[in-house]
Amino acid sequence: MAKPKVATTSLCGCFGCHMSLLDIDDRILKLVELIEFHKSPINDIKKFTARCAIGLIEGGCCNDENVHVLQDFRKNCDILISVGDCAIMGGIPAMRNTIPLKECLEEAYLNGPTVYNPSGQIPNDPEIPLLLKQVYPCNEVVKIDYHLPGCPPPADTIWEALVALLTDKPVDLPYELIKYD
Amino acid sequence: MSNTITFMIDGVEIEGKPGQTIMQAADEAGIYIPRLCAFKGLSPYGACRVCTVMVNGRPQAACTQPVAPGTVVENDTERLQHLRGNIVEMMFVEGNHYCMFCEKSGNCELQAMAYRFGIAAPKYPYLFPERDVDASHPDILIDRNRCILCGRCIRASSDLDGKNVFQFVGRGKDKQIAVNAEARLADTDIDVTDQAVSSCPVGAILKKRVGYAVPIGERLYDHKPIGSDIEAARTAGS
Amino acid sequence: MSGTLENTVKDICRSHSNDRTRMMDIVREVQARFKCVSSEAMDVIAAAVGTHRVEVESVVSFYTYLSEKPKGKVVIRLCNDIIDKMHGVERVAQAFSDALGIKFGETTPDGTISLEYTPCIGLCDQAPAALINDVPVTDLHRSIARQIVADLKKHMDPKRLVHRLGDGNNAHELVQSMVVNNIRTEGPMVLSPVNRGEAIKQALAISPVEVIRAVKTARLRGRGGAGFPTGMKWEFTRAATGEEKYVICNADEGEPGTFKDRVILTERPDRVFAGMTIAGYAIGAKTGIVYLRGEYAYLRPYLEHVLERRRNDGLLGQNVGGKEGFNFDIVIQMGAGAYICGEETALISSCEGLRGDPKNRPPFPAQKGYLDCPTVVNNVETLCCVTKILERGPGAFNEYGSQGSAGTKLLSISGDCKLPGVYELPFGIKLSEVLKQAGAEDAIAVQVGGASGAMVAPNEFERTICFDDLATGGAIMVFGPERNVLEVADYFLDFFIEESCGYCTPCRVGNVLLKERLDRILAGHGEPADLDYLQDLGETIKTTSRCGLGQTSPNPVLTTLKNFRSAYEALVKERDDGLQPSFDLSEAVGDAEQIAGHKSVHAD
Ligand SMILES: Cc1cc2nc3c(=O)[nH]c(=O)nc-3n(C[C@H](O)[C@H](O)[C@H](O)COP(=O)(O)O)c2cc1C
Ligand code: SF4
Ligand code: SF4
Ligand code: FES
Ligand code: FES
């Protein structure tokens, strides 16, 4: 029987959650026995070519491309997991949610105290994804099946959740594995 | 008149004293009733509603409800834990709680309550309100993004510190904590040693230059759920 | 600090004995004088009455009639409650807005006129209606709105906007209002002609305990909503120890769709005051307080006049009714725009000069109420019943109504009916009969009990109006075939969000969340699971809220979920694509597209 496939992505995140996944240390060997990584920055597979059992989402949606990727994950994965506070609630990027987008851009590229931008222009290339008016938690864009909180979630949290799902057990995290920081 | 009042919590017979609240009597008996706005030494307030129990089938706040003879109190039921969890989730989406950089994290009662209830993420949408930070005071910071409107600072300042540094202004969803000055905490007579500062259950009132003083793993709620101290009394003694 | 402001504010404080508990009077007066209670004024008030500035700010920021920022000399408060919406208030609002050149919530650049929305002002039977400062204007339409603005720009005198006078005492020289009573059924109790002095005479002829017994024998229950037995409440208060005791008449009438207390106060104030006096005699109080909602300020001069007349007639003051040693007088305490202040403990907070936060119970007002003294709070109509019971005897009272609900009930009927107005009908009457009398036979839904009541469907129109079946403080809002009950529920949520005091979490946050989800459903983005979500959230708010507001605010949603489930089911649909239908990429990326000057490659 083919091993179940797992896809991962980092949307508006810092790759910290991926680091945490790698932090399961030697259990990663066990993991690759259980699963096969499909589309993921870990193996640099860029496109879905097969249906995945699980999609791990790091980061919230801050731009139109994030939305596109997330929707693609939803289409191609049976189970989607928000991994980390950014995916769950926007995380630190969501601190801009109370500020109008224009002001954010002007602060970042024109007015901020550390800005060096002789051109005086806000980057605007069709290749650059467009920012959304706020950072959206993933489950406001697509349905999310599980949430693993933490910034990043402890490696054990990710491990326990994956093992439970892959062995058809309920995801029932013990006290010490639910952490918001 | 007898000096004890006998009643039941979850089938256990409890002895309370006249004038005690259900919560006080439960504490003494080693039964933990979740709470956020109640705090030892402060007058009962009844705002957070996390302590909701059923008294003879009717919902009441255990922190304000006096003990009464023969009453039947339900505390640790699935239904009540569910309702309490909902309330805690409301608090998270009502404010802006970025635990990842909050100095209170690990020692925060709101966060600890969510951990105790096993909440991975709130089911409600985040409201992302616009809230002010007041860093005017040299030693104390107010971050209203994290305020849960529990009123502990208000009561501590007036009842324990003999000052009146805090009070609520506005109503409904616009209600917020204000200081006894035109705008800035620096213009009040608050002192960093005031009980009002240390009474805040969350990271809304913080002492400056403390930072992340206690390493992860050694903080108040890293290993044991909030309320364990009260429950320990029961397992150990009585 | 400007000297005139300081001196004037000091004078105002002094005229209220620099008494902190008179805060409501002080800040209302400062607001009237300066069109705001400025930061400076707060400092002066705090110093004068010996409190902290933030306490003053706390009060000012609580009530909608008070503001820290200046308002115009004239404030137009247009009611945008559901009934007004059904009567085309949007067009009236547009006309006001166009004529003034400002949006709602704004003040004209010259600082003269402010335009605001307000929830129900108790004129639902003559909606759309507005208050212009204290002056009610009714049956508005676009051209009247334009005329009002034109006239105000000329003379700035709201009183001169009254070109016709209403019936009865609305035309009294101290009222001079265009409001009409619309009394459709004058029942045998509350609205029957007044026999001044008679009830007090009867009461004073027997002992206070016997008075209470009479009220109990009549099986009188409170008309304000909760239906607590009045005699029992009096008995508790009488038995409680306290240096002083107080009688408070709850004339806050804030429940959307209720206006019967306004009619009673206009036409039968003597009966209300007699009831208070009898209550005072029964419990041993010397002072009565009428807590009059700010919206009814236009009735105050007339009510003061009636009180003065009663003093002159020996029905108030020293040795009332010739009874040696029975001293009783009544003062009027104005509210300032807060529905929650109708809740009796919030009302007491407000009377004490505090924010209108409800208090923890126990202690109940009967033990510790106003200024910690034993206090009876009764509704306007309840007090009228008291007077009638003493006047005619308990038997004559409880021959009307049913066993559990003795006497008659005043109903305020509004909405889609031919004869909106006030009806005094015996308890136990069928809703269908009420609807027939009001000319509302084609109703598809009736909200019984105001915003916090129940939305009743036609299959339940045979139910009866009484405490044990369809309980109501008096509001009956009728919705005809073209109305959408879910939009009505949605409006009520707006109301509760606006009016929650914010003390407890479930009410403060929960109602906002309820509305978010209901809006989602109304926008066509709902899914079947959202109905369970609403149910669970609604039950959480209802079960865990601290006071009656939160304990009833989910009712419009919960009762429509139960009685109008098909209306929800028609809007929600199951989706199998895993997307959140409420997320709209083009909307989310719109700002960026505008800034960048090109379209998103991902949005369609
Ligand atoms: C949010 C809320 C608003 C209320 N508003 C009113 C009101 O406007 N008038 C009133 O008489 N009772 C109102 N009540 C009920 C009062 O709390 C109280 O029960 C009543 O005044 C007692 O008088 P009664 O026994 O004569 O009815 C309200 C209750 C709540 C919870
Ligand atoms: S106050 Fe508590 S819950 Fe809020 S951000 Fe800080 S740690 Fe998290
Ligand atoms: S600042 Fe802290 S103590 Fe004060 S109300 Fe807010 S959460 Fe409570
Ligand atoms: S990158 Fe994982 S939570 Fe921030
Ligand atoms: S602890 Fe009881 S209401 Fe907050």
Side-chain angles (χ1 to χ4, degrees), chain C residues 517-518 520-521 525-536 561 565 568 572-573 580-581:
Chain C
R517 197 50 50 105
L518 182 53
R520 215 188 257 199
I521 293 171
H525 298 144
E527 297 180 75
D530 288 327
L531 305 190
D532 300 333
Y533 174 102
L534 287 180
Q535 185 76 31
D536 180 55
L561 272 173
R565 193 142 189 114
Y568 286 92
V572 297
K573 56 175 179 292
Q580 292 288 16

Side-chain angles (χ1 to χ4, degrees), chain C residues 33 47 51 71 99 211 227-228 276 296 402 425 450 504 510 515 519 526 539 550:
Chain C
R33 176 74 179 70
T51 186
K71 291 195 182 174
V211 170
F228 194 82
M276 292 177 75
Y296 293 169
S402 58
L425 299 168
C504 75
K515 182 172 159 63
D519 282 345
E539 283 173 13

Side-chain angles (χ1 to χ4, degrees), chain C residues 204-259:
Chain C
L204 296 180
I206 55 179
S207 72
V209 173
E210 284 168 320
V211 170
I212 294 176
R213 193 174 306 138
V215 173
K216 286 173 100 174
T217 309
R219 300 196 311 274
L220 175 61
R221 294 173 64 174
R223 272 27 177 177
F228 194 82
T230 307
M232 208 193 288
K233 190 188 279 189
W234 290 13
E235 204 165 52
F236 291 153
T237 319
R238 180 170 176 78
T241 43
E243 251 170 57
E244 294 278 338
K245 293 184 184 175
Y246 293 93
V247 176
I248 296 182
C249 167
N250 188 341
D252 196 53
E253 188 157 73
E255 189 71 48
T258 317
F259 46 86

